[in-house]
């Protein structure tokens, strides 16, 4: 690997803005905002719109659409 061409890989905190869920992980992303965690260290803060704490698939709050009713309605409307 060439030296000096790769971004810095460091610990950052990703925060879901809708649920205030935070996870500490490593990334090459950078941010001007920082957050202080319970361990006493300050980390760059990356805000995200959706995470596993707010995504409908992971929370079990997704809606199941009734496509059968739509097909029947279509057939009734255009049956001749």
């Amino acid at each position: 690997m060439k030296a000096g061409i790769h971004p810095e890989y460091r610990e950052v905190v990703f925060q879901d803005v809708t649920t205030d869920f935070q996870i500490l992980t490593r990334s090459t992303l950078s941010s001007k905002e920082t957050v202080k965690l319970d361990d006493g260290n300050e980390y760059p803060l990356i805000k995200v719109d959706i995470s596993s704490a707010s995504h409908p698939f992971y929370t079990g709050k997704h809606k199941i659409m009734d496509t059968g009713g739509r097909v029947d309605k279509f057939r009734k409307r255009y049956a001749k």
Side-chain angles (χ1 to χ4, degrees), residues 75 77-80:
R75 287 183 180 159
R77 183 182 299 158
Y78 294 104
K80 290 185 179 182

Side-chain angles (χ1 to χ4, degrees), residues 9-69:
Y9 191 62
R10 62 184 162 272
E11 292 183 328
V12 298
V13 173
F14 286 92
Q15 179 182 7
D16 187 342
V17 294
T18 57
T19 61
D20 291 332
F21 172 73
Q22 294 179 342
I23 186 164
L24 176 66
T25 187
R26 295 179 56 88
S27 177
T28 58
L29 294 175
S30 62
S31 174
K32 294 181 181 181
E33 293 183 77
T34 60
V35 65
K36 191 170 189 175
L37 293 184
D38 294 335
D39 62 0
N41 295 329
E42 250 187 63
Y43 300 101
L45 177 66
I46 308 293
K47 293 184 178 180
V48 293
D49 293 329
I50 196 159
S51 70
S52 62
S54 62
H55 193 278
F57 179 78
Y58 294 107
T59 59
K61 297 180 181 175
H62 60 283
K63 296 179 183 177
I64 299 173
M65 296 184 70
D66 179 26
T67 57

